[in-house]
Amino acid sequence: MKKILLVALLVGGHLMAQNNASPCKILSKINALIQQEHVHPKPVDDSLSVFIFDNLINDLDSGRNLFYKSEYDSLSKNYRLQIDNLVQKEDCQFIATFEDIYQKALLRNKLLLEKLNKDSLNFNTADTIRMYKKAFPVYMTEKEFEKIWRKKIRFDVLNEVAASSKNLDSIRINLKSLTNYYKEIAIQNELCKISAQLKKKSTISEKVYGFFCTYFDPHTNYFSVNSKSNFVSSLSKEKLSLGFLVSLNEKNQIIIDDIDPNGPAFKNGKLKKGDQIISIANEQETLKVTCASLEEIGDLIVSDANKIITLTIKRKGEKNFSVTLEKEVLKDEQNSVYSYLVEDKNKIGYIKIPSFYSNFESNDKSGCAEDVGTEIVKLQNDDIDGLVIDLMDNGGGSMEEAIKLAGLFVHHGPISIVVDKSQKQQIIQDPYRGYLYKGPVIILVNGNTASASEFFATILQDYNRAMVIGSSTLGKATMQTILPTDSNEENFVKVTINKFYRITGKSHQSIGVLPDVQVPVLYESIIQKERDYPTAFKNDVLPTSIPFTPYVKNKLIHHLTKNSQKRVTASSYFNNVVSMNKRIDELIKNPKTIIPMQIETVFEEQKLVTTLWESINSFKDESISLNVKNSSFNESLLKVYPSERAFKETQILALKNNHYLNEAIQIINDYFVLK
């Protein structure tokens, strides 16, 4: 130990100088790349400094219980308007200063929490706590430090106690023992989080790189080698996987939700659906679930760099046990196109496109468009009369795949206008002559439908080639590419290089694709949209449009829309969605700003949340029993691959009660009557 310390002291100054220079060199290269490639680069000035500084503070101290006001004021005075100048001078000492103050504050909190763990807390004190919806000023002084943390722990404990039972009288009777029990858990969880942060290598420099990029627009981002690999992998239908899916339960515990019968978790044989994951380890570190953020946990599980993972599992009635799994390349069923047949008055094909995936790093050019084409051929073998394409929750992906997919439905002609940094307009043409499918098409969208999926939906909507139903989409009409900052290829930027417009000259940027039929969607008002990001591009319109010929007359679209809207307005299901959204809005968008810290009040607040959650869960179960089944071709495939039948049956069960699919079918039925 003494020898290591001596070496550190001897070389410390040299290492610090290298570390100070390195972030600035990376920032300089990031800026050079953005200025050269970005569709609308901004100058590096005081507004960038403010953006980076404010976002960094909010990220490090979102609860305002870490930094003293004096520390914030000092940082603000020295850096809030100076980061741009320091970066240009290649002086990034401010990053080390942030790291020092951050580490100091974490250690300070750790010592206080250890003290509070030994102290008794009075849960009968008449007091209140203030809630904030957005970031609020740093206000904590040295004198208020302990008071603020005592209040936070007391409130966290009361929340846990209130959630422990539905019987308030029982809670009152056992209040002392319950508060003692949950106080120790609450403090240990906070200490665990702090210890994890103290052990971690500094990430402040990477946060600065990230905020530097998102200053230019929300979709320009910094990637390390590992994060770039993870991002590209997420847009593929095959990836390294442990072979299971997880979900969060009402207690924010990570639960194994489903196990792939072809994956390593199933082959291992020790894991069961419903198991709780309490810690995750790779070959270098172990993360306790209660100590880490969901982002950190997700990175550890998903990262291609972590091929061997050890899970510690908690199962009711058994001792905790560990399972070590080695990832295998698996087909990602959740990120692969699939199709079903629905028999109503007409035969309707249904195709779900989870994302516009592509094999970016392979010579194999097959991707989403080819897979959709395959499913269309399968459905046409069953003589379908119409087609429903589900783009709900499709966050986009490859623009090349979206262009190819549009070509399967448009005979020929222009499909989009792309504008680059020089404002040069390029007209994108349908890549194929003719089309694979020419029957009626309905596209389902919601607030999470974004980017490439919006691009595809606008093309078919402008040509009257499809009707779009659902809620307004995200509103992203930009294209990105991933570029290395230099030849070393250790740092990358996903940079926005183009804006795209509809062939009418209009854009859905910031406003989203407006459906032909607005259908209420659960949670739609709280989904974050493009317009909610402070650096998002504003909506604009090109002064020119391109001649094209719609496939169906607007009069027919008008009648179909009118009939559909009548059904939606009269639907008890969709009226219940509207009612449920109002309750969600009231709870989330308009929370009580001041809450008395008494068990009765906290219990009532918990009851509101629990009741709403139970209502949502029971509400989703409303049955309409659509006649959904496998296409003849896919049914024959299941005889060859019987292990996939259970997964298919789960999908069919969900679709049987899909009210959006039901309304799409009614529109297609109307189409044949009106036509």
Side-chain angles (χ1 to χ4, degrees):
M1 279 297 295
K2 289 181 180 179
K3 184 177 180 181
I4 293 171
L5 179 59
L6 179 62
V7 172
L9 288 171
L10 286 171
V11 302
H14 177 60
L15 286 174
M16 182 63 75
Q18 281 189 327
N19 289 337
N20 287 342
S22 181
C24 273
K25 286 181 179 177
I26 293 171
L27 284 170
S28 178
K29 290 175 181 178
I30 289 172
N31 184 45
L33 178 63
I34 290 174
Q35 296 297 334
Q36 180 179 332
E37 303 291 346
H38 197 274
V39 68
H40 186 63
K42 303 176 188 176
V44 174
D45 56 18
D46 287 354
S47 57
L48 176 132
S49 290
V50 171
F51 183 83
I52 292 176
F53 182 89
D54 289 351
N55 277 281
L56 192 55
I57 290 292
N58 290 334
D59 187 271
L60 297 175
D61 190 13
S62 58
R64 300 300 189 253
N65 53 20
L66 187 66
F67 296 135
Y68 288 155
K69 187 177 186 304
S70 57
E71 291 169 331
Y72 169 81
D73 288 343
S74 174
L75 288 169
S76 181
K77 179 182 177 182
N78 291 323
Y79 303 122
R80 193 165 185 264
L81 297 175
Q82 294 299 320
I83 292 176
D84 60 315
N85 300 324
L86 293 170
V87 170
Q88 288 172 340
K89 292 176 184 175
E90 293 200 358
D91 177 8
C92 286
Q93 178 65 36
F94 74 92
I95 291 177
T97 302
F98 261 99
E99 287 172 349
D100 289 343
I101 293 175
Y102 181 56
Q103 293 284 315
K104 178 183 173 183
L106 288 172
L107 287 168
R108 182 171 63 215
N109 283 5
K110 183 182 178 187
L111 290 172
L112 176 63
L113 285 163
E114 288 169 347
K115 175 180 180 293
L116 294 181
N117 201 28
K118 297 173 185 176
D119 292 351
S120 60
L121 297 179
N122 187 350
F123 289 91
N124 296 314
T125 304
D127 204 351
T128 60
I129 191 164
R130 181 177 290 276
M131 300 293 176
Y132 295 88
K133 287 195 294 181
K134 296 181 179 179
F136 53 101
V138 174
Y139 65 95
M140 188 171 70
T141 64
E142 194 169 350
K143 289 182 179 179
E144 295 170 322
F145 173 48
E146 185 169 334
K147 177 184 174 183
I148 286 169
W149 265 102
R150 280 182 177 273
K151 185 180 283 192
K152 172 181 165 41
I153 295 299
R154 280 169 50 215
F155 186 72
D156 288 349
V157 170
L158 287 173
N159 258 319
E160 290 298 323
V161 170
S164 67
S165 173
K166 292 185 177 181
N167 189 323
L168 181 57
D169 290 334
S170 173
I171 288 174
R172 285 197 187 105
I173 293 168
N174 299 291
L175 186 60
K176 186 174 182 180
S177 61
L178 286 169
T179 52
N180 286 338
Y181 174 73
Y182 284 110
K183 174 203 163 193
E184 184 176 351
I185 291 176
I187 290 177
Q188 289 304 320
N189 283 346
E190 291 292 343
L191 284 169
C192 190
K193 289 174 186 175
I194 290 171
S195 295
Q197 290 298 320
L198 288 168
K199 288 177 185 176
K200 277 176 62 176
K201 292 179 180 179
S202 171
T203 58
I204 290 180
S205 55
E206 287 202 5
K207 290 181 187 294
V208 171
Y209 306 155
F211 294 136
F212 189 100
C213 291
T214 54
Y215 168 72
F216 293 89
D217 76 276
H219 309 289
T220 292
N221 286 300
Y222 166 78
F223 284 155
S224 63
V225 173
N226 193 34
S227 57
K228 180 239 182 186
S229 175
N230 291 345
F231 177 78
V232 171
S233 176
S234 72
L235 297 175
S236 172
K237 67 176 181 179
E238 288 187 338
K239 60 188 70 174
L240 278 171
S241 173
L242 296 171
F244 62 80
L245 298 174
V246 298
S247 63
L248 283 178
N249 65 11
E250 64 278 3
K251 294 181 180 179
N252 279 332
Q253 296 167 336
I254 296 181
I255 305 297
I256 293 178
D257 200 41
D258 199 13
I259 300 176
D260 186 337
N262 301 306
F266 183 85
K267 293 173 186 175
N268 178 275
K270 292 182 180 179
L271 296 178
K272 293 182 181 179
K273 186 176 178 179
D275 285 347
Q276 180 188 346
I277 299 174
I278 57 176
S279 76
I280 304 162
N282 61 8
E283 294 172 326
Q284 288 82 38
E285 63 175 330
T286 299
L287 285 183
K288 287 186 178 179
V289 168
T290 53
C291 306
S293 68
L294 289 176
E295 185 180 8
E296 290 171 317
I297 294 164
D299 284 347
L300 199 59
I301 292 177
V302 172
S303 174
D304 287 352
N306 301 317
K307 292 187 177 180
I308 298 176
I309 294 290
T310 298
L311 307 171
T312 304
I313 300 296
K314 182 177 182 180
R315 184 182 294 163
K316 288 182 180 178
E318 298 184 22
K319 289 183 179 180
N320 294 352
F321 61 94
S322 295
V323 177
T324 299
L325 303 172
E326 185 170 357
K327 291 179 181 177
E328 297 176 12
V329 176
L330 297 176
K331 179 182 178 183
D332 185 355
E333 296 288 357
Q334 299 295 318
N335 195 35
S336 301
V337 166
Y338 59 85
S339 72
Y340 291 99
L341 188 67
V342 188
E343 291 194 344
D344 196 75
K345 292 178 182 177
N346 297 284
K347 281 186 180 180
I348 310 298
Y350 169 87
I351 296 179
K352 175 67 177 179
I353 308 177
S355 76
F356 282 83
Y357 53 81
S358 179
N359 293 319
F360 289 98
E361 296 184 334
S362 169
N363 293 326
D364 178 10
K365 296 298 181 182
S366 64
C368 160
E370 185 174 311
D371 288 350
V372 171
T374 300
E375 297 307 313
I376 289 173
V377 171
K378 293 176 185 177
L379 292 167
Q380 285 181 319
N381 284 337
D382 284 323
D383 299 320
I384 58 170
D385 301 300
L387 182 65
V388 179
I389 298 176
D390 190 346
L391 297 180
M392 286 185 161
D393 300 318
N394 181 323
S398 166
M399 292 300 296
E400 183 181 351
E401 291 297 319
I403 291 168
K404 289 195 290 187
L405 186 61
L408 302 182
F409 296 92
V410 176
H411 187 272
H412 69 278
I415 58 175
S416 182
I417 307 168
V418 174
V419 176
D420 63 13
K421 180 181 178 180
S422 66
Q423 299 305 303
K424 181 182 176 182
Q425 296 181 15
Q426 178 187 358
I427 299 172
I428 305 296
Q429 297 284 341
D430 171 12
Y432 310 122
R433 193 79 179 180
Y435 34 52
L436 182 62
Y437 179 76
K438 57 184 179 181
V441 180
I442 305 295
I443 297 176
L444 305 179
V445 298
N446 65 1
N448 289 321
T449 303
S451 193
S453 53
E454 292 178 284
F455 175 86
F456 170 75
T458 59
I459 295 165
L460 270 63
Q461 189 181 47
D462 285 340
Y463 269 99
N464 286 351
R465 185 65 189 84
M467 276 183 63
V468 179
I469 76 169
S471 61
S472 299
T473 61
L474 182 86
K476 176 181 178 290
T478 57
M479 286 190 264
Q480 290 73 37
T481 190
I482 300 175
L483 299 170
T485 58
D486 55 32
S487 58
N488 293 330
E489 296 199 357
E490 293 181 356
N491 300 284
F492 300 83
V493 177
K494 177 165 71 76
V495 59
T496 299
I497 56 170
N498 295 112
K499 296 167 72 176
F500 59 83
Y501 294 80
R502 301 169 79 138
I503 46 179
T504 59
K506 295 181 180 179
S507 169
H508 63 267
Q509 173 64 29
S510 287
I511 61 175
V513 179
L514 305 179
D516 298 292
V517 181
Q518 287 279 353
V519 184
V521 176
L522 202 60
Y523 307 119
E524 66 179 289
S525 60
I526 61 171
I527 294 172
Q528 190 170 29
K529 301 290 188 69
E530 181 83 359
R531 61 178 175 269
D532 298 322
Y533 294 99
T535 58
F537 295 132
K538 304 299 181 187
N539 183 265
D540 62 343
V541 178
L542 291 178
T544 57
S545 61
I546 306 167
F548 69 99
T549 305
Y551 281 64
V552 177
K553 291 182 179 179
N554 287 331
K555 188 177 180 181
L556 178 57
I557 297 289
H558 172 74
H559 284 304
L560 292 171
T561 299
K562 192 175 178 181
N563 289 350
S564 177
Q565 205 66 67
K566 282 181 182 177
R567 282 191 298 269
V568 171
T569 303
S571 164
S572 61
Y573 177 86
F574 292 125
N575 281 322
N576 284 336
V577 172
V578 173
S579 174
M580 201 70 71
N581 279 339
K582 286 179 181 177
R583 290 174 62 186
I584 294 169
D585 286 353
E586 187 176 345
L587 196 65
I588 294 176
K589 287 190 170 182
N590 302 301
K592 291 181 180 178
T593 53
I594 298 177
I595 298 177
M597 289 179 60
Q598 298 165 346
I599 189 59
E600 291 78 9
T601 307
V602 177
F603 182 84
E604 286 304 314
E605 290 295 313
Q606 282 275 358
K607 190 176 178 181
L608 281 173
V609 176
T610 303
T611 303
L612 178 58
W613 184 253
E614 289 173 350
S615 298
I616 290 169
N617 284 339
S618 60
F619 165 68
K620 286 182 177 178
D621 293 333
E622 187 175 328
S623 175
I624 48 176
S625 298
L626 293 172
N627 184 15
V628 184
K629 59 184 184 179
N630 292 303
S631 65
S632 301
F633 191 93
N634 282 343
E635 185 62 37
S636 64
L637 282 178
L638 288 174
K639 294 175 183 177
V640 182
Y641 305 105
S643 62
E644 294 185 9
R645 186 172 290 280
F647 184 75
K648 294 288 185 184
E649 286 175 354
T650 302
Q651 290 178 328
I652 287 174
L653 186 61
L655 286 173
K656 281 180 179 291
N657 300 319
N658 188 314
H659 289 259
Y660 303 93
L661 173 57
N662 182 50
E663 180 51 36
I665 291 167
Q666 301 314 313
I667 294 172
I668 293 173
N669 290 341
D670 268 2
Y671 169 83
F672 287 108
V673 172
L674 289 170
K675 190 178 178 184

